Amino acid sequence: MKREFPIEKIRNIGIVAHIDAGKTTTTERVLFYTGKTYKIGEVHEGTAIMDWMPQEQERGITITAACTTCFWQDCRINIIDTPGHVDFTIEVERSLKVLDGAVVLFDGVNGVEPQSETVWRQADRYNVPRICFVNKMDRPAASISETVKQIHQRLGANAAAVQIPYGSEENFRGIIDIIEDRLYLYEDPTGKEYTTLDVPEELKAEVKEAKAQLLEHLAESDDELMQYFVENKPVPKDLIKKTIRRTVVAGKFVPVFCGSAFKNKGIQPLLDAVCAYLPSPLDRGQIKGIDPDTQQYEERVVNDDAPFCGLCFKVASDPYVGRLSFVRIYSGVLSAGSYIYNASKRTKERVTKIVLMHANKQEIVERVATGDICAVVGLKDSKTGDTLCDEDTAIILESMHFPEPVISQSIEPKTKADQEKLGMALRRLSDEDPSFRVKYDHETGQTIISGMGQLHLEIIVDRLLREFTVASTVGQPQVAYKETLTKKVISTGKFIQQSGGRGQYGHCVLEMKPQEAPGAGVTFEDKLKGGVIPREFIPAVKNGVMASAKTGILAGYPVIDVAVTLIDGSFHDVDSSELAFQMAGSIAFSDGLRQASCRLLEPIMDMEVVVPEEFMGSIIGDLNSRRAKIVSLGQRANTRVIRAHVPLAEIFNYATIIRSASQGRATYSMEPSFYQEVPSHIARKITERSTATQRFTQ
């Protein structure tokens, strides 16, 4: 297959940031300047190409990650524009998993915000190289130097500016390139044309100081440049650029650019930087995974001649072609009409059609190759995180991290005719979004949907009506509490049943203790010696434990952060079976919870409130009444910033409360942070409410 673009000229990038930092606005300018579109779409007008869902256009926010492809210089750039709202963090997570690089946007006024930290940690998890773009430099109090300082302090990154703004606020007219020592002056309102000039005399000292800081931070990460720096020799421009690329790809340095996407300034130099500094698929090295049969470590070479290997990172429903599976190709070639192997599910799938996506528009292609991001039609069983490959050379790539839902509510169809349609629609939506869960509560007879926040579930209900024509009624939001134990216990589970013929016999002894690190979930370890339980029955014990962990003993909430070790047991030559040992594992786990003084945990949100000085006292007082713990108080331009940890149960509909408390002038953002023990008097009420509900349904 002859490639249109060499692999080294492909850039797979994502644009990530806190909500309202300007991701979609920046992407729209990128599409315009690269010639992909002839007119700039605006988020506030509902005309942004990348915000194609009706819910996105109405709310002016990005809800789903949208893919597109454009061309700049001699590079092909595959872009994923991601949401900034914390409720849709799964979209950022799965995008970063398959991307080679990222552009992290910061609001020039607000700097590093809570969701900025979240997306940065997500990029750290997948070792994604980054460049930064400080947006909104035309706004009052915007500062690139302050943002760079916050990147150092809050994100712990080795960052330095490679550009500084020319002018400020409404007089922001261009940017100065520190490396080239040139001024890019924007006088064309569309930003398509800009003039390159010498740096004005009055700014040369500032540029010299900024360049010295850039070289100092680069020298920290590169020995070759350090030599120049130590000997105080002038560093050639080519060496600076080469060093930036090398250190960015290695994840040791983050260059910071600036501009104003809405005012059409600074986008072309940012595109130059994407091509010059962010890695190609080749720079990311060989693909690592495990052989599903031998469980041995495997590697794949990144080229078209290697066996096919890709990762399904997203599933979406299309009204015309049905199920779309978004796939990143890591090695080899994929052709339409071919069969591929889902190594995660151990099933074969047929690729009926391959399309390249431009937001919600599709371009049909016959084949895709290494480094490409495409959507595949025809895959029935493949879900988010599944590895697709050749059957003869199977490999399983590392899957991705899915966040746990923090909020639940009941849902039921408005009419009897919608009952079956609701079940099918919820199943399709949960296939698309791994952070959205559906379960049937047998005790209350209700269908429960769980998600990352109120907006997340609100969008789900809206999509049910618009896309699936299912009208539904939802209950009040409920917090997704968890249960865990407080001490180490030894628990025994026996399941013995005699019925005249062959009976059932299962016996196991479990050691249960709290996990050392929060967030580790429920783990199961086998430490049996001497074959006291046959090996074939041990998975059944584990299944029993995991099934029992879905329902705790205090109020029926899932159990988390428990380390379970199988230490003893016995079996019967005739009566023992998998079912018997599964029941024994379940009995032992439930009995252990009763012994271990269980406690109830609640999700705590990391909240940041930006409020004018005169309303700070009333906002802090209100937060204290909601069991909030104030973490820090800061200053941002002419406003105060309150950082607090607040229980989710206390801040439902907080947007209305904060608006009325500040005459509509305060804003807030929050994200799930950790689980914490519920105070005893509140835990008692929750437990009593749960017990009363169970009695009522019986």
Side-chain angles (χ1 to χ4, degrees):
M1 172 186 169
K2 188 176 184 301
R3 295 188 65 100
E4 186 181 354
F5 274 84
I7 301 177
E8 61 270 17
K9 293 297 181 184
I10 292 176
R11 300 289 182 271
N12 291 315
I13 68 162
I15 299 186
V16 298
H18 185 89
I19 190 170
D20 203 32
K23 295 177 297 300
T24 303
T25 302
T26 303
T27 308
E28 293 296 321
R29 270 64 182 174
V30 167
L31 296 178
F32 178 65
Y33 297 134
T34 56
K36 190 77 179 180
T37 58
Y38 67 91
K39 181 177 178 289
I40 296 174
E42 298 293 3
V43 174
H44 61 277
E45 293 173 0
T47 57
I49 289 162
M50 301 303 278
D51 283 353
W52 57 270
M53 291 175 69
Q55 294 88 346
E56 294 176 316
Q57 293 165 355
E58 290 166 4
R59 291 167 173 81
I61 62 169
T62 302
I63 290 169
T64 184
C67 305
T68 189
T69 300
C70 59
F71 305 90
W72 186 254
Q73 295 176 357
D74 57 350
C75 289
R76 171 187 178 140
I77 306 175
N78 299 319
I79 302 174
I80 299 182
D81 174 35
T82 64
H85 199 288
V86 66
D87 284 17
F88 310 106
T89 189
I90 182 64
E91 296 287 339
V92 184
E93 186 80 29
R94 56 186 173 190
S95 299
L96 286 171
K97 169 65 182 168
V98 298
L99 292 170
D100 300 318
V103 179
V104 185
L105 261 65
F106 297 98
D107 184 317
V109 180
N110 296 322
V112 177
E113 299 174 270
Q115 190 66 8
S116 311
E117 296 183 45
T118 301
V119 298
W120 197 273
R121 287 196 301 271
Q122 288 172 309
D124 281 342
R125 188 181 298 130
Y126 299 117
N127 299 314
V128 179
R130 279 144 273 180
I131 62 176
C132 295
F133 182 70
V134 181
N135 194 21
K136 305 188 181 183
M137 292 306 297
D138 58 310
R139 297 263 300 274
S143 169
I144 187 171
S145 58
E146 186 60 34
T147 303
V148 171
K149 190 191 299 181
Q150 290 180 15
I151 292 171
H152 289 157
Q153 292 171 349
R154 295 192 188 179
L155 306 178
N158 180 24
V162 294
Q163 294 175 346
I164 58 173
Y166 178 61
S168 61
E169 300 183 9
E170 70 270 12
N171 295 318
F172 174 62
R173 296 171 58 206
I175 51 181
I176 296 171
D177 189 312
I178 294 167
I179 302 169
E180 295 290 347
D181 215 19
R182 304 292 282 169
L183 163 63
Y184 303 137
L185 191 64
Y186 288 83
E187 292 174 315
D188 170 15
T190 67
K192 258 198 164 182
E193 305 293 331
Y194 58 90
T195 312
T196 305
L197 303 169
D198 291 332
V199 175
E201 198 65 40
E202 67 272 16
L203 292 174
K204 284 191 173 176
E206 187 182 341
V207 172
K208 187 177 179 182
E209 184 187 343
K211 189 170 185 177
Q213 288 181 4
L214 169 64
L215 293 176
E216 183 181 339
H217 284 286
L218 272 175
E220 287 178 21
S221 308
D222 189 85
D223 293 339
E224 187 180 356
L225 202 76
M226 175 63 84
Q227 201 62 38
Y228 279 86
F229 194 74
V230 169
E231 295 172 6
N232 205 21
K233 294 196 302 193
V235 186
K237 292 177 188 175
D238 288 347
L239 178 59
I240 296 175
K241 291 179 180 179
K242 192 172 78 173
T243 306
I244 290 176
R245 177 174 174 76
R246 190 164 57 228
T247 51
V248 166
V249 170
K252 295 178 180 177
F253 178 70
V254 183
V256 183
F257 299 81
C258 66
S260 171
F262 185 59
K263 294 295 177 67
N264 308 319
K265 294 177 175 69
I267 303 301
Q268 295 96 326
L270 179 65
L271 281 166
D272 292 340
V274 166
C275 297
Y277 303 136
L278 286 178
S280 71
L282 283 178
D283 295 317
R284 297 284 278 154
Q286 295 188 334
I287 310 307
K288 300 173 179 63
I290 58 167
D291 185 306
D293 296 321
T294 65
Q295 298 299 305
Q296 295 298 308
Y297 179 77
E298 290 268 319
E299 284 193 346
R300 284 280 188 278
V301 179
V302 182
N303 65 42
D304 296 345
D305 299 326
F308 165 69
C309 169
L311 186 77
C312 176
F313 68 94
K314 179 175 175 172
V315 175
S317 297
D318 183 272
Y320 304 108
V321 299
R323 186 185 173 104
L324 280 173
S325 303
F326 288 74
V327 178
R328 160 70 196 266
I329 313 296
Y330 284 107
S331 66
V333 176
L334 178 64
S335 302
S338 62
Y339 282 90
I340 55 175
Y341 183 64
N342 183 328
S344 306
K345 298 274 194 315
R346 294 180 180 255
T347 57
K348 283 182 79 169
E349 300 255 38
R350 186 171 185 270
V351 177
T352 56
K353 189 163 72 170
I354 301 173
V355 294
L356 299 180
M357 299 299 295
H358 178 49
N360 62 333
K361 295 182 173 61
Q362 301 166 7
E363 175 194 341
I364 299 173
V365 294
E366 283 304 307
R367 55 176 60 190
V368 284
T370 305
D372 288 338
I373 292 176
C374 65
V376 175
V377 181
L379 307 188
K380 292 183 172 62
D381 298 324
S382 298
K383 293 189 177 180
T384 301
D386 286 356
T387 302
L388 308 172
C389 56
D390 287 340
E391 188 171 7
D392 297 335
T393 53
I395 187 173
I396 295 181
L397 305 179
E398 180 193 4
S399 192
M400 55 193 80
H401 167 77
F402 298 137
E404 284 294 316
V406 296
I407 186 171
S408 303
Q409 57 189 162
S410 61
I411 186 169
E412 57 186 41
K414 283 192 173 175
T415 66
K416 195 77 174 169
D418 284 336
Q419 183 77 50
E420 194 174 322
K421 283 166 66 180
L422 177 67
M424 185 195 71
L426 289 175
R427 199 158 47 246
R428 282 174 64 179
L429 288 171
S430 62
D431 280 350
E432 284 185 29
D433 183 354
S435 65
F436 171 64
R437 313 278 169 85
V438 183
K439 71 171 184 178
Y440 182 74
D441 190 327
H442 291 278
E443 291 174 348
T444 62
Q446 292 178 313
T447 299
I448 307 295
I449 57 174
S450 305
M452 299 305 297
Q454 283 176 280
L455 180 62
H456 187 194
L457 296 184
E458 186 185 312
I459 297 293
I460 291 287
V461 173
D462 192 36
R463 288 185 64 192
L464 283 172
L465 182 60
R466 294 195 199 207
E467 294 175 31
F468 301 95
T469 61
V470 179
S472 55
T473 307
V474 293
Q476 285 296 312
Q478 302 292 323
V479 176
Y481 293 103
K482 306 285 185 190
E483 298 182 23
T484 193
L485 45 76
T486 58
K487 62 183 181 182
K488 177 178 168 181
V489 295
I490 306 292
S491 173
T492 301
K494 274 190 178 180
F495 182 71
I496 305 172
Q497 211 172 55
Q498 295 296 334
S499 54
R502 180 180 170 180
Q504 297 282 0
Y505 181 91
H507 168 223
C508 64
V509 181
L510 303 178
E511 178 190 276
M512 298 165 57
K513 61 182 180 181
Q515 293 278 15
E516 292 178 11
V522 178
T523 59
F524 180 86
E525 188 180 357
D526 166 26
K527 281 193 177 175
L528 288 180
K529 290 177 182 163
V532 291
I533 297 177
R535 306 304 304 169
E536 64 265 26
F537 294 141
I538 290 171
V541 177
K542 180 180 178 180
N543 291 341
V545 167
M546 295 306 177
S548 190
K550 291 178 182 176
T551 310
I553 58 157
L554 292 177
Y557 292 107
V559 179
I560 61 168
D561 295 343
V562 179
V564 180
T565 307
L566 178 59
I567 56 173
D568 201 1
S570 62
F571 72 103
H572 189 279
D573 288 335
V574 177
D575 291 350
S576 286
S577 67
E578 286 190 10
L579 174 63
F581 275 100
Q582 184 171 332
M583 293 299 295
S586 179
I587 292 165
F589 187 82
S590 297
D591 187 55
L593 292 178
R594 291 187 186 91
Q595 296 178 45
S597 306
C598 280
R599 56 180 178 168
L600 206 59
L601 304 177
E602 64 181 342
I604 304 297
M605 310 301 282
D606 185 357
M607 175 186 273
E608 184 179 89
V609 182
V610 181
V611 59
E613 180 85 47
E614 61 264 37
F615 300 109
M616 190 174 78
S618 60
I619 295 293
I620 288 178
D622 180 69
L623 286 172
N624 286 333
S625 73
R626 297 173 187 280
R627 299 194 282 127
K629 179 184 177 186
I630 306 298
V631 177
S632 66
L633 297 173
Q635 187 89 27
R636 185 178 294 163
N638 56 351
T639 57
R640 298 303 299 268
V641 181
I642 305 165
R643 194 83 177 262
H645 289 151
V646 196
L648 175 62
E650 302 289 344
I651 46 174
F652 284 137
N653 300 315
Y654 191 65
T656 308
I657 294 156
I658 197 172
R659 276 199 293 268
S660 60
S662 64
Q663 297 174 10
R665 293 169 63 192
T667 60
Y668 80 100
S669 59
M670 64 180 182
E671 60 183 31
S673 185
F674 56 91
Y675 271 84
Q676 180 177 284
E677 185 173 358
V678 180
S680 57
H681 66 286
I682 296 174
R684 203 176 305 117
K685 287 180 186 174
I686 296 167
T687 306
E688 287 169 0
R689 191 165 63 234
S690 173
T691 308
T693 303
Q694 290 172 25
R695 276 203 306 268
F696 176 76
T697 55
Q698 288 166 3

